[in-house]
Amino acid sequence: MVSQACYDLEGFRKILPGNLCISFCQAAAKTFVVIVDESKLCDSLGPHFPVPVEVVPFCHEHTARVIKALPALEGCEPVLRLGSAANNKRDGDQPAVTDNGNYILDLHFKKSIKDPQSAAKQL
């Protein structure tokens, strides 16, 4: 699932995949096609709604600290999603678990991500 998509100044689409399987498929694919509807399009990534990142449960707190320290994600505040994995609203007390058995960190931003391509590579 793609959380957000936007166009940069040259018109190339920048994507931040939030799903671990999508990230692996994208890395292995010769051609990777993403189809999004209008609800996913935005002027910039980050400040409009949290960017989801799927992480393995083991050491998820450490992973959150490492993500927060990534230069391309400056200013992000990783928050462990609690409740349902289907939305970014807290609707439970236990960590949200994906179909792959992983957790979701919602990355909250006050400002736009300056370089989404670098952010995706660093993630």
Side-chain angles (χ1 to χ4, degrees), residues 11-122:
F12 295 104
R13 193 164 281 161
K14 295 178 179 178
I15 306 287
L16 282 178
N19 183 291
L20 198 57
C21 287
I22 290 176
S23 298
F24 288 137
C25 291
Q26 183 177 4
K30 291 180 183 177
T31 301
F32 186 73
V33 177
V34 177
I35 300 172
V36 296
D37 66 19
E38 293 174 359
S39 71
K40 302 293 183 176
L41 295 177
C42 57
D43 295 331
S44 61
L45 298 176
H48 306 292
F49 52 88
V51 175
V53 176
E54 187 173 350
V55 300
V56 294
F58 180 74
C59 290
H60 68 274
E61 297 99 341
H62 174 72
T63 302
R65 289 189 297 272
V66 169
I67 289 172
K68 185 175 182 171
L70 292 174
L73 296 175
E74 181 181 356
C76 89
E77 187 61 43
V79 176
L80 180 65
R81 184 180 297 181
L82 299 178
S84 171
N87 63 61
N88 62 358
K89 306 292 184 220
R90 182 179 176 156
D91 58 1
D93 295 329
Q94 298 298 313
V97 178
T98 68
D99 293 343
N100 301 315
N102 296 316
Y103 292 169
I104 299 171
L105 291 175
D106 288 315
L107 307 184
H108 295 263
F109 294 86
K110 293 182 180 166
K111 298 179 182 177
S112 297
I113 299 172
K114 293 178 185 174
D115 186 351
Q117 290 176 337
S118 291
K121 284 180 184 178
Q122 290 178 19

